[in-house]
Amino acid sequence: MSVSRLFEMLYILLERDRVTAGELAQRLEVSVRTVYRDAQALCEAGIPLYAERGREGGLCLLPGCKLSKAYLTEEERRSVLSSLRALEQTGADDGQALRRLSAFWGSDTPDWVQIDLSDWSGHQGPLLATLKEAILKRQRLSFAYYGESGQPAQREVCPLRLCFKGRAWYLQAFCLLRGAMRLFKLSRIRQAQIVPGGFPAEAFEAVEHAQLLSGEEAAPVTLSVTLHLDACMAYRVYDDFSDQELTHLEDGSFLVQAVYPAGAWIASMILSYGEHAEVLAPQALRLEIAQTLKKMCARYQS
């Protein structure tokens, strides 16, 4: 749920006596169902909001309602301002809500975090600009996507948001080919371009369904892996694993117990440690690594 959108809805209601859910949905670029869910959230936060039925009905605030500083505690106000500042840095928000609320509350929040979605090489700059435009303007996106087969497949999607998961950025989108929500790793996207066409109703229904489930049904199949890594790999270990996944052994080496989304990439990641990594479990992954090493040796012996 977008904090910025909630405050934009509130400002609209403060300026108007009555607004229909359809009009709010069009202005906020969300579904009518999302408007009613946001209205419920405002009510639960103490905003005196109610709905009037009929041809002349709509969402209304109680007469004389004013936005009071007492609705949120000082800590909650700092949290809201920090969230809006982060949105401004990503380019997803123009900072208007941040400036309004900072002036209204008579306070600001320290600029303690900087969010930069670009990579060090700068090659992702055009891709991010295209994704941002497509997401914010609700435009379809077409691109070539490299899956585990290594072959590009053309996809056309309705892009919804960028998300960061497991040290990588992903595009969450409704795939028109599969007819379902999908995650696309940004590093595997090529030749992205905006194409004509709006979002079908099932795209909005899919994202609503995904939000209500809170990702429970969309959880990927995972694999628990136990590794032994030599001490000389410490410079990589602290980049790749958290403290909770590491056990320091007496000789300076590491015992790693981690959980990953299942896929062929796990073997490639482990092999990137060279002779300094050993798979202890599961046995199937250990055998897969051994078979791969045999093939590599055969290639160099020929």
Side-chain angles (χ1 to χ4, degrees):
M1 183 176 296
S2 169
V3 174
S4 179
R5 188 177 69 237
L6 288 177
F7 277 104
E8 185 175 355
M9 178 187 291
L10 181 56
Y11 275 114
I12 294 172
L13 293 169
L14 285 168
E15 293 172 354
R16 304 268 299 276
D17 290 336
R18 184 180 293 101
V19 188
T20 66
E23 185 179 351
L24 284 171
Q26 183 176 7
R27 181 162 174 179
L28 299 174
E29 297 184 342
V30 296
S31 67
V32 172
R33 184 184 301 178
T34 297
V35 168
Y36 282 120
R37 191 168 66 245
D38 288 351
Q40 180 65 31
L42 289 174
C43 290
E44 292 173 355
I47 305 298
L49 178 65
Y50 68 99
E52 286 187 350
R53 297 182 179 275
R55 180 177 299 179
E56 302 298 327
L59 295 174
C60 317
L61 291 173
L62 287 177
C65 172
K66 301 295 182 183
L67 183 59
S68 171
K69 298 181 181 181
Y71 277 126
L72 299 176
T73 66
E74 182 178 353
E75 183 177 353
E76 289 170 337
R77 292 198 295 268
R78 285 198 301 266
S79 178
V80 169
L81 293 176
S82 294
S83 299
L84 292 176
R85 185 178 295 280
L87 283 174
E88 182 183 16
Q89 290 180 359
T90 63
D93 188 87
D94 60 6
Q96 185 175 4
L98 174 65
R99 291 188 291 273
R100 283 183 177 181
L101 291 177
S102 295
F104 175 76
W105 283 325
S107 62
D108 200 354
T109 182
D111 189 9
W112 66 278
V113 63
Q114 180 176 357
I115 300 175
D116 188 348
L117 300 184
S118 63
D119 61 346
W120 290 106
S121 67
H123 295 160
Q124 278 193 344
L127 171 61
L128 290 169
T130 301
L131 295 179
K132 172 187 172 183
E133 181 179 357
I135 292 171
L136 294 181
K137 294 184 179 180
R138 287 290 193 262
Q139 295 175 312
R140 291 191 186 185
L141 197 65
S142 174
F143 52 81
Y145 189 72
Y146 285 81
E148 290 187 359
S149 67
Q151 298 299 318
Q154 198 65 28
R155 297 295 185 94
E156 187 170 325
V157 305
C158 301
L160 297 165
R161 62 174 62 86
L162 294 180
C163 59
F164 187 79
K165 182 75 173 179
R167 305 182 181 92
W169 282 101
Y170 295 85
L171 170 68
Q172 184 184 30
F174 180 82
C175 179
L176 295 170
L177 176 65
R178 307 298 185 191
M181 295 292 296
R182 289 290 187 269
L183 284 177
F184 300 94
K185 197 171 185 179
L186 261 57
S187 59
R188 298 183 180 181
I189 294 177
R190 300 290 189 276
Q191 302 169 349
Q193 58 181 344
I194 294 173
V195 295
F199 283 25
E202 55 263 33
F204 292 106
E205 293 173 359
V207 70
E208 295 282 350
H209 186 61
Q211 289 174 345
L212 291 174
L213 291 176
S214 302
E216 292 179 4
E217 292 185 3
V221 176
T222 58
L223 182 68
S224 297
V225 179
T226 303
L227 306 173
H228 179 267
L229 299 176
D230 292 342
C232 62
M233 288 288 103
Y235 73 97
R236 273 196 60 184
V237 166
Y238 294 110
D239 282 339
D240 294 344
F241 306 101
S242 66
D243 290 342
Q244 291 76 17
E245 296 171 324
L246 295 175
T247 299
H248 298 261
L249 303 180
E250 291 183 1
D251 62 355
S253 61
F254 303 90
L255 181 68
V256 178
Q257 293 178 304
V259 177
Y260 296 113
W265 71 275
I266 299 178
S268 298
M269 182 275 291
I270 295 171
L271 286 169
S272 69
Y273 278 88
E275 71 273 21
H276 302 295
E278 179 184 1
V279 176
L280 303 181
Q283 183 66 17
L285 180 59
R286 183 180 175 90
L287 293 175
E288 180 184 349
I289 295 288
Q291 290 296 325
T292 302
L293 290 172
K294 287 180 181 179
K295 293 177 182 178
M296 292 174 64
C297 289
R299 169 170 291 189
Y300 284 98
Q301 289 171 358
S302 59

